[in-house]
Amino acid sequence: MKKMLLVVVALMLSISLAACGSSGSDSGKNSGTNEGTKQNNTTQGGKTEGDSSDLSGSILAVGSTALQPLVEQVSKKFMDKNPKVNILVQGGGSGTGLTQVSEGQAQIGNSDIFAEEKFTDGDAPKAKELVDHQVAVVAMAAVVNKDVTVDNLTKQQLADIFTGKVTNWKDVGGADEKITIVNRPASSGTRKTFEKYALGTKTEDLQGSIQEESSGTVKKLVGETPGAIGYLAFSYLDDSIKTLKYEGTEATEATVIDGSYPVWAYQHMYTKGEPDAATKAFLDYMVSEEVQNDKGDVVELGYIPVNKMQVKRDVDGNVTK
């Protein structure tokens, strides 16, 4: 009888201990699951670096081909960060960009010139409707085919060439070779800047000259045409063409920054009034440290950050330290 009682008690103790062990195991599992859920919710609840924003919308940026490479590259990075935003970048020249943004056909008008230089006289009120966002400085240089032996031109010599007074390289110290001008259209901000700061005069479209809207095409034609001369933004300069000195001064970032090389302009991204949220975010990103620093897109593509300039220039061309 006592033996039977001991067996029953031992059996009950075994069942109790097994139940406790099972409960402890389940409790451990539940505890781990709850903690994991809590951590997962914390990660999803707050945005971490690399998460896309809630920005959305479409942006059309039109105009300056000198500014186009920078806007295109930065826009791709911005869209990677903001996949609900679509940005389309087109050329066409500064005049086209300013006209389209003024007429509401584009969110951004890219320009090498101030809006006041485009909209004058009766159109002056249009310039006042536009908001200027200066994102970089672009410098321009006269470029020639690599067979041209001249490596420096004065302001007067350049003016004589682009106004048709000089038509042979021998008249400016070069070989006996015909000069072929590769020019930009009248709507081009690059042309206006080059005329204003390199030539000191406006020019007419000369018979026999080549006119191209795209800076890339200008570079290609100058590189392929014997005796050719044109002008390009620094961002387009490479070994396929020859860059000329201006009044004995080399066309470099350093000479632009200190003001000794005068052929440069601000790169403007105009909006009509204050921009919408997506456009504002994109413009803010254009002037962010990521884009503007010494290893950023601005420097990488041959532009100059605005904050590095040691001189300032107003719409009338007045330069101050």
Side-chain angles (χ1 to χ4, degrees):
M1 185 69 175
K2 287 182 179 182
K3 188 174 181 180
M4 179 67 71
L5 183 59
L6 287 172
V7 171
V8 172
V9 170
L11 183 59
M12 290 178 66
L13 284 171
S14 297
I15 294 172
S16 177
L17 288 171
C20 288
S22 176
S23 175
S25 176
D26 289 343
S27 176
K29 287 180 181 178
N30 289 338
S31 176
T33 302
N34 290 339
E35 185 65 26
T37 302
K38 184 187 292 185
Q39 290 176 352
N40 189 50
N41 287 341
T42 300
T43 302
Q44 293 177 351
K47 289 193 173 184
T48 59
E49 187 177 357
D51 286 353
S52 62
S53 73
D54 294 327
L55 286 172
S56 63
S58 296
I59 301 170
L60 174 60
V62 182
S64 165
T65 58
L67 180 54
Q68 189 174 353
L70 176 62
V71 180
E72 285 180 337
Q73 180 163 308
V74 177
S75 69
K76 291 174 183 176
K77 293 172 66 175
F78 184 82
M79 287 188 287
D80 286 342
K81 297 173 182 289
N82 302 276
K84 295 179 184 177
V85 177
N86 180 60
I87 303 174
L88 178 62
V89 183
Q90 297 178 345
S94 298
T96 298
L98 289 169
T99 297
Q100 290 201 13
V101 73
S102 175
E103 294 177 353
Q105 298 172 2
Q107 285 69 43
I108 297 173
N110 297 328
S111 178
D112 306 331
I113 61 174
F114 287 92
E116 292 88 343
E117 296 179 80
K118 162 67 177 175
F119 299 119
T120 59
D121 301 326
D123 287 334
K126 293 182 179 180
K128 294 181 179 180
E129 294 178 336
L130 301 182
V131 179
D132 187 4
H133 309 270
Q134 295 178 3
V135 299
V137 164
V138 64
M140 295 135 194
V143 296
V144 294
N145 184 276
K146 294 181 78 170
D147 75 339
V148 174
T149 57
V150 171
D151 63 5
N152 174 71
L153 289 174
T154 66
K155 180 177 182 178
Q156 188 60 56
Q157 287 172 329
L158 273 173
D160 288 346
I161 289 172
F162 279 89
T163 56
K165 293 179 181 178
V166 170
T167 58
N168 193 300
W169 284 110
K170 68 180 180 180
D171 295 327
V172 289
D176 184 3
E177 183 177 30
K178 176 188 173 184
I179 297 174
T180 298
I181 296 173
V182 183
N183 213 341
R184 299 293 305 281
S187 64
S188 165
T190 301
R191 175 170 172 170
K192 286 183 171 63
T193 298
F194 189 75
E195 289 178 343
K196 187 171 185 177
Y197 301 120
L199 309 182
T201 183
K202 290 185 178 181
T203 63
E204 301 296 329
D205 295 327
L206 301 174
Q207 185 175 1
S209 66
I210 302 170
Q211 190 176 108
E212 287 294 338
E213 290 189 358
S214 165
S215 295
T217 305
V218 170
K219 181 175 76 170
K220 183 174 185 295
L221 287 172
V222 170
E224 295 176 349
T225 308
I229 184 172
Y231 46 90
L232 291 167
F234 281 13
S235 53
Y236 285 91
L237 302 181
D238 61 28
D239 291 338
S240 67
I241 50 179
K242 182 178 180 179
T243 302
L244 299 182
K245 295 177 183 177
Y246 179 78
E247 294 279 359
T249 301
E250 290 190 12
T252 67
E253 178 180 319
T255 57
V256 173
I257 289 174
D258 67 19
S260 59
Y261 184 84
V263 193
W264 61 270
Y266 294 110
Q267 293 293 268
H268 312 264
M269 296 179 73
Y270 279 99
T271 58
K272 188 172 184 178
E274 294 301 326
D276 58 49
T279 303
K280 182 180 186 305
F282 176 49
L283 291 169
D284 288 345
Y285 184 59
M286 286 290 301
V287 295
S288 68
E289 179 65 17
E290 179 180 344
V291 173
Q292 297 280 331
N293 68 41
D294 289 342
K295 295 182 180 180
D297 305 85
V298 170
V299 175
E300 176 191 339
L301 294 177
Y303 303 84
I304 301 170
V306 176
N307 60 12
K308 291 183 71 173
M309 293 295 292
Q310 296 172 9
V311 294
K312 293 182 179 180
R313 177 181 278 159
D314 64 20
V315 65
D316 296 318
N318 300 314
V319 176
T320 56
K321 291 286 185 179

